Amino acid sequence: MSKLDRLDLKQLRVFQALIQEQNASKAANQLGLTQQAVSEHLKKLRDVFDDRLFLRKTNGFVPTPFAESLSIGVDKLLNDFTALLSPKSFDPKTITGTFVIAATDYAQQVVLPSLISLLRKESPKLMIIVRDFELDKVNELMESGKINLAIAFPDYIPDNYPTVKLFEEHHICVASPNASIAHKSPTLAEIASYPSIIASPSRPNFKGSIDDWFKKFGLKRNVVVSAPCFSIVPMYLETTDSIAFLPSRAITGLDLIEIKLEESPDNFDVIAAWHPRYSEDALQKWVISLLQVE
């Protein structure tokens, strides 16, 4: 058994009290221990350090030269432990390190620009990594601590993670102003049969989040192109006679025409999620508070 394994914090506190009081009875009163308990701890300390540490005198103890030299290091250790257990003040201006955000293509367009602007302004020493949201790996990455924060849709996040709702969003049907459907008032059946482009960032296929909504009306979409991200879809719409269902905030400022529908797809939430281990982390809580301002 190593000396470190035989040493505990209470013994160091007894040592510090004996240095200060140079009397076993006074040291015991300071620590709320019995004099016998102080003696037992001192016995263990002598064994660990292989030194008598304190010599008896008429009305107490006098430290040995080794004990006097040891007291400086013990004071520092106990002060460090006290600081470790004390509440930490959090100052965004001085915080350093790296904060990793995994975000969907949509969140990178809509949520992150303003968030990163705030982080750079309020916490200039903090480095930020933005990585693509990987649906099949999100649980593994969050469990391993490789992601501090994930911004996505509720269906993408495991149920056991804390989340906060950022805002509510909805899909709209859009097309290029030059599309043959652009200035018509089509029925849902006509919309379903029209060539459609979808974004499938997580798993490349021809299935989109709007498919289940069309099924409620007994309709199936005519999906002809599957893109890896939302941001590229408007470019494809410009060069093809087709439509797409895109989140409303993702098309702001783009030269697209909204196709009015008889019915509207259900709204959905955009959320932020994190691993429970970070729930009480000061930096984590601060970043989340910035998101909730959005």
Side-chain angles (χ1 to χ4, degrees):
M1 194 175 190
S2 70
K3 287 187 176 182
L4 185 60
D5 291 329
R6 289 153 51 201
L7 192 64
D8 65 38
L9 192 59
K10 186 172 288 186
Q11 291 166 9
L12 294 181
R13 293 184 63 225
V14 166
F15 175 85
Q16 186 185 54
L18 286 170
I19 286 286
Q20 293 169 350
E21 304 290 352
Q22 297 192 14
N23 181 286
S25 178
K26 291 180 180 179
N29 289 336
Q30 180 189 128
L31 298 172
L33 300 174
T34 64
Q35 193 167 332
Q36 181 180 356
V38 168
S39 297
E40 287 296 322
H41 285 305
L42 178 56
K43 181 179 178 182
K44 292 176 182 177
L45 283 165
R46 285 169 168 164
D47 182 55
V48 169
F49 291 107
D50 194 22
D51 188 272
R52 294 187 68 184
L53 299 177
F54 297 93
L55 304 175
R56 290 189 179 277
K57 63 177 184 177
T58 305
N59 59 344
F61 292 108
V62 58
T64 66
F66 177 77
E68 288 182 341
S69 65
L70 187 64
S71 66
I72 298 172
V74 171
D75 283 344
K76 183 179 184 306
L77 277 174
L78 291 175
N79 287 336
D80 288 345
F81 275 116
T82 300
L84 185 67
L85 298 172
S86 299
K88 302 293 188 300
S89 59
F90 177 76
D91 182 2
K93 297 289 185 187
T94 60
I95 195 74
T96 60
T98 303
F99 194 85
V100 182
I101 303 172
T104 60
D105 172 57
Y106 167 81
Q108 290 181 42
Q109 293 180 66
V110 174
V111 180
L112 291 193
S114 56
L115 175 63
I116 290 176
S117 175
L118 284 170
L119 289 173
R120 294 299 306 135
K121 178 182 177 182
E122 301 294 335
S123 189
K125 296 182 180 180
L126 181 68
M127 295 187 293
I128 305 157
I129 292 177
V130 177
R131 58 182 296 166
D132 287 332
F133 188 94
E134 299 176 77
L135 182 59
D136 294 330
K137 294 183 179 180
V138 62
N139 188 62
E140 171 192 338
L141 292 170
M142 294 179 83
E143 284 282 354
S144 63
K146 293 179 180 178
I147 293 175
N148 297 97
L149 190 70
I151 304 176
F153 309 118
D155 291 346
Y156 288 10
I157 302 295
D159 292 338
N160 57 320
Y161 291 116
T163 64
V164 61
K165 177 180 173 180
L166 304 184
F167 53 82
E168 202 168 78
E169 177 61 292
H170 64 280
H171 286 101
I172 60 175
C173 182
V174 293
S176 163
N178 300 319
S180 59
I181 200 174
H183 303 287
K184 297 180 180 179
S185 299
T187 64
L188 278 181
E190 290 172 327
I191 289 287
S193 64
Y194 206 80
S196 184
I197 300 175
I198 69 167
S200 185
S202 300
R203 300 188 182 99
N205 54 43
F206 292 100
K207 296 179 181 178
S209 57
I210 300 296
D211 290 340
D212 289 339
W213 179 72
F214 273 100
K215 283 181 183 178
K216 294 194 300 185
F217 303 98
L219 300 171
K220 182 179 179 180
R221 285 198 293 171
N222 177 24
V223 177
V224 296
V225 176
S226 176
C229 57
F230 287 107
S231 57
I232 199 69
V233 173
M235 300 180 193
Y236 295 164
L237 291 175
E238 289 178 6
T239 58
T240 61
D241 188 7
S242 54
I243 60 172
F245 280 80
L246 295 175
S248 65
R249 299 191 187 202
I251 63 168
T252 302
L254 299 179
D255 186 22
L256 296 173
I257 296 292
E258 179 180 356
I259 310 299
K260 298 298 183 180
L261 305 176
E262 300 168 332
E263 301 282 346
S264 297
D266 297 333
N267 291 352
F268 59 93
D269 294 337
V270 177
I271 65 170
W274 58 95
H275 194 279
R277 75 166 68 90
Y278 294 120
S279 289
E280 297 306 316
D281 180 77
L283 174 58
Q284 187 84 13
K285 293 165 78 172
W286 177 67
V287 174
I288 291 167
S289 74
L290 295 181
L291 277 169
Q292 290 180 279
V293 172
E294 298 297 309

